[in-house]
Amino acid sequence: MSDTLPVAFTDGQKADIRRFCGYPAYGSGAAGFNSWRFFQAYGTLEYRMNHLAAAEVAVTLQYISTLASLEAAIPPTSDNLDTESAAAWTHNADELQDRMNLFDGWRRRLCGFLGVAPGPALAQSGGISLVV
């Protein structure tokens, strides 16, 4: 039996890719031509997810695995929000923002790999953001 790379994503993996790229939930299926699914940026992401080569699927799976780990590390930072320092240990007051910046940086790298613009949930704050 040969080692074969996956050639398609599961629905759960696609949901993670959309989420990590900053795009909203897809829903249960196409429902009319006034849906956001027909906007170019969203359609490009869907097309890419459905037409990647096996090696590209493998790289994307590595990205979503890394992103899941980075995302899981963010909520526990709330454990230290009440502590400025303790004995020789001093809390990094920027830990939450540092972790979120690292997470968002990796999210942008996934968008770059897939060749799509970051979605509305990942848009830069401040300044003009266009959604097509």
Side-chain angles (χ1 to χ4, degrees):
M1 183 178 263
S2 65
D3 290 327
T4 58
L5 297 172
V7 293
F9 297 111
T10 66
D11 286 341
Q13 290 166 335
K14 285 181 178 182
D16 281 342
I17 292 167
R18 285 184 204 102
R19 190 169 60 82
F20 289 143
C21 287
Y23 290 88
Y26 182 79
S28 61
F33 290 100
N34 59 352
S35 171
W36 61 262
R37 292 182 189 95
F38 296 95
F39 292 107
Q40 184 176 354
Y42 298 93
T44 300
L45 177 60
E46 295 302 315
Y47 180 85
R48 295 277 164 78
M49 287 192 297
N50 292 321
H51 295 90
L52 292 177
E56 294 166 329
V57 169
V59 171
T60 305
L61 290 173
Q62 183 61 49
Y63 268 107
I64 63 175
S65 174
T66 298
L67 283 161
S69 296
L70 292 172
E71 182 180 44
I74 293 172
T77 62
S78 66
D79 294 345
N80 297 324
L81 292 178
D82 62 345
T83 306
E84 181 64 30
S85 66
W89 178 81
T90 301
H91 173 69
N92 174 4
D94 298 325
E95 178 183 7
L96 177 60
Q97 191 60 49
D98 291 347
R99 288 184 183 277
M100 291 177 65
N101 288 341
L102 178 63
F103 176 59
D104 286 349
W106 275 93
R107 293 171 69 192
R108 291 180 199 294
R109 289 177 69 165
L110 173 60
C111 290
F113 176 72
L114 293 173
V116 298
L122 192 53
Q124 293 283 350
S125 59
I128 296 173
S129 178
L130 301 175
V131 179
V132 286

